[in-house]
Amino acid sequence: MKVGGDLKWAINSNSVLDLTAHTDFAQADADIQVNNITRFSVFFPEKRQFFLENASLFGMQVNPLPDGSGGSMNYQPFFSRSIGLDTAGNPIPIVAGGRFVYRSSKLNFGAIAIRQQGANDLPGTNFFVGRVSENFGSQDRVGALISVKNQPGGSNIETTVDGFFRLGESNSLNTLLTQSTTTNTGQKGFGGIMQYYNSNNHYKIWWTESVVTKNFDPQMGFVSRKDVIGTTPGINFYYRGSLLPFKSVLLAFEPGFLPELYYTASTGKFAEMDLPLFPVWLNFKSGAYFGYGIDPIRQHLTSVFQPLGVSIAPGDYSYLTHQFWASTDPSKIINLSFIYQTGSYFNGKLNSGDWKLQFAPVPYISFLGEYSRNHFEGVGENKTTTNVNLYVLRARFALNPRVQLTGIYQRNSLNNADNYNIRLSWEFLPLSYVYLIYNRGVTNMINNMVIQTQTEDHIIYKISYLQQF
């Protein structure tokens, strides 16, 4: 049994203090697994309520937008999932912590301090992040952030300056510049990214420049790729004019060109080039869409690359992929969407698809099934031919706005893992909850040429009570 608590004190209309002890996040949604075939790390969003509050103050970032604009680089100087979670997303106990935030129309500042308990091979860790930002002009902002991760033997420190500038009605510039220092090794690194947008009703133009040195080590942040210099310009067109056919159902024709070029920062040598062109992208008035893209790719590998267990040797590779994107009307009871990619992949072939089917007969019941498949054919050093499949099933039942049952089942053939997460929540008083959570995880590991199955079952009962005074 574990007892914890939270205290929120609204000091005045601008200032709020939050304190927490033996914090528990068992009620947070489970992460949806991703089988990644790119050279970029996958960004998993924060889902824990304590860190979601005031995330707009601490969580400034430059990241890709849902329409693909901005490029693939994703950088966030303070990534709250670095606290209370290990690299696999498993929880690490938090002993205590606090957060203070001051907000006004011009000046905003705050700080977070948390003590994380030691677990497994990880020592007890102290985290601190301080943030200040000031708004000026119509929509401009400048700010600074410092984060410190302190463990026995040394600290990791990040210092960041950032700014967002509205350059007229259609133009904006967003920038982040960070230095990281690791005291026990004396290692220093730099990460910087600048992103320009020019957007109106007819087009969106962007240009993103990023530099991340080899020694950059943001232990409390997230960066999708290190030791890289990236240049990612692009343009999406929006045509809704008189020449658009089938105007009773078709909303817009939106072709785009999204090139990306990367060099290795430590050597200055070429690393990767992607030239995705979408000559067809149709948005329908119902919310449905259909798109087709072609992507010539060049890769220069300086070390072995292992996507989904397939080993690809260092060298130069050129290949071409075709992409298909589609979705039906998302407001209907049944909605189908998919992304499908086919073509060559390094020295072989890859057919990769992600299909989603949603069934929502009434507002308080929904089912979502997802199937992801990667079929490698003659890829890598061993000319590997294999399938890697991921199945996800999500369900939600709301008896009423206060009582909800949700469940997630995930099966990944990459490691023959089966994971269940079932959660019953009851809001018995305003902002006071009872949770009953069942988690089950089954993984298969190879140890000394013997396949071993590891099973973990957790049943968690949690009650949270809010008293306002």
Side-chain angles (χ1 to χ4, degrees):
M1 180 177 179
K2 183 172 73 171
V3 177
D6 302 309
L7 173 66
K8 181 183 290 291
W9 178 22
I11 301 171
N12 54 47
S13 59
N14 300 103
S15 305
V16 176
L17 175 66
D18 292 276
L19 300 175
T20 182
H22 298 290
T23 317
D24 185 89
F25 301 113
Q27 74 275 16
D29 291 337
D31 290 325
I32 302 302
Q33 297 180 38
V34 176
N35 283 339
N36 183 23
I37 57 173
T38 75
R39 295 170 69 181
F40 293 86
S41 298
V42 177
F43 180 87
F44 290 97
E46 179 62 80
K47 298 182 178 180
R48 299 168 297 173
Q49 187 59 38
F50 179 85
F51 293 108
L52 290 175
E53 295 178 8
N54 292 291
S56 60
L57 174 61
F58 296 96
M60 70 282 195
Q61 67 181 132
V62 174
N63 61 307
L65 296 184
D67 63 359
S69 61
S72 299
M73 285 296 292
N74 190 333
Y75 175 49
Q76 187 168 326
F78 171 59
F79 186 42
S80 56
R81 287 177 62 105
S82 62
I83 302 174
L85 295 172
D86 63 17
T87 55
N90 300 310
I92 303 174
I94 290 178
V95 178
R99 176 182 59 217
F100 173 80
V101 170
Y102 172 89
R103 286 184 176 274
S104 69
S105 60
K106 293 295 183 181
L107 181 65
N108 303 279
F109 60 85
I112 300 173
I114 289 181
R115 170 65 179 180
Q116 178 180 284
Q117 182 177 311
N120 300 324
D121 296 329
L122 299 174
T125 306
N126 300 310
F127 297 91
F128 173 82
V129 56
R131 167 72 169 152
V132 61
S133 70
E134 183 169 0
N135 304 321
F136 65 96
S138 57
Q139 299 181 46
D140 303 311
R141 184 198 73 242
V142 293
L145 179 142
I146 182 170
S147 65
V148 181
K149 178 181 179 180
N150 173 256
Q151 295 177 310
S155 299
N156 177 263
I157 304 168
E158 296 173 60
T159 53
T160 300
V161 293
D162 67 288
F164 178 85
F165 308 97
R166 181 68 66 181
L167 310 174
E169 184 177 344
S170 302
N171 301 275
S172 65
L173 179 67
N174 192 10
T175 182
L176 295 168
L177 305 172
T178 300
Q179 177 178 281
S180 69
T181 303
T182 305
T183 60
N184 57 329
T185 63
Q187 180 175 287
K188 294 184 178 182
F190 172 79
I193 188 166
M194 300 181 70
Q195 189 172 75
Y196 166 78
Y197 273 106
N198 181 349
S199 181
N200 57 38
N201 291 332
H202 304 289
Y203 59 81
K204 179 193 286 187
I205 297 174
W206 64 91
W207 192 295
T208 305
E209 287 288 333
S210 52
V211 177
V212 181
T213 65
K214 186 176 182 179
N215 293 330
F216 186 56
D217 186 21
Q219 294 183 18
M220 288 182 64
F222 176 87
V223 63
S224 56
R225 192 162 173 170
K226 295 183 181 181
D227 194 17
V228 70
I229 299 173
T231 299
T232 54
I235 184 169
N236 284 333
F237 292 98
Y238 310 133
Y239 182 74
R240 300 175 176 86
S242 59
L243 298 179
L244 188 70
F246 312 111
K247 298 193 74 170
S248 61
V249 295
L250 195 59
L251 176 65
F253 171 56
E254 301 183 0
F257 182 46
L258 299 77
E260 302 192 19
L261 180 63
Y262 299 97
Y263 286 83
T264 302
S266 58
T267 64
K269 295 183 178 180
F270 169 81
E272 180 177 351
M273 180 179 69
D274 295 70
L275 299 175
L277 172 66
F278 285 85
V280 178
W281 192 280
L282 302 174
N283 283 331
F284 296 87
K285 291 183 177 180
S286 65
Y289 60 82
F290 172 80
Y292 163 74
I294 185 169
D295 188 6
I297 301 173
R298 287 185 57 204
Q299 300 271 11
H300 175 69
L301 300 181
T302 58
S303 59
V304 174
F305 177 47
Q306 292 185 310
L308 306 184
V310 177
S311 182
I312 302 173
D316 293 303
Y317 301 88
S318 296
Y319 51 97
L320 181 72
T321 67
H322 300 268
Q323 301 177 26
F324 300 87
W325 300 58
S327 174
T328 61
D329 183 350
S331 66
K332 298 297 185 181
I333 292 176
I334 297 178
N335 169 238
L336 173 65
S337 64
F338 70 85
I339 303 171
Y340 184 73
Q341 172 182 309
T342 183
S344 50
Y345 182 74
F346 290 91
N347 62 333
K349 295 181 180 180
L350 173 65
N351 294 322
S352 177
D354 184 82
W355 294 265
K356 295 180 181 179
L357 178 64
Q358 180 169 339
F359 175 63
V362 290
Y364 48 87
I365 297 177
S366 69
F367 299 89
L368 177 62
E370 181 176 358
Y371 171 55
S372 298
R373 177 182 174 87
N374 289 281
H375 173 68
F376 297 90
E377 185 176 335
V379 178
E381 296 177 292
N382 299 319
K383 299 292 184 178
T384 301
T385 296
T386 188
N387 294 318
V388 180
N389 300 316
L390 173 62
Y391 307 86
V392 181
L393 179 62
R394 287 180 270 183
R396 174 182 170 272
F397 305 90
L399 300 181
N400 57 56
R402 294 179 177 272
V403 180
Q404 295 193 37
L405 176 65
T406 60
I408 300 176
Y409 168 71
Q410 302 182 78
R411 176 174 176 79
N412 197 337
S413 69
L414 182 63
N415 55 359
N416 291 320
D418 279 288
N419 294 281
Y420 305 81
N421 176 267
I422 301 172
R423 181 185 64 183
L424 175 66
S425 64
W426 170 37
E427 187 180 13
F428 63 94
L429 289 173
L431 300 178
S432 298
Y433 296 87
V434 172
Y435 297 99
L436 182 62
I437 302 114
Y438 171 61
N439 294 321
R440 179 179 175 86
V442 180
T443 57
N444 291 320
M445 300 176 295
I446 299 177
N447 186 11
N448 294 326
M449 304 302 292
V450 177
I451 298 178
Q452 297 180 339
T453 300
Q454 179 177 326
T455 302
E456 293 186 5
D457 291 277
H458 302 276
I459 298 178
I460 303 168
Y461 175 78
K462 177 181 177 179
I463 182 169
S464 65
Y465 175 70
L466 176 68
Q467 177 65 54
Q468 294 179 308
F469 53 88

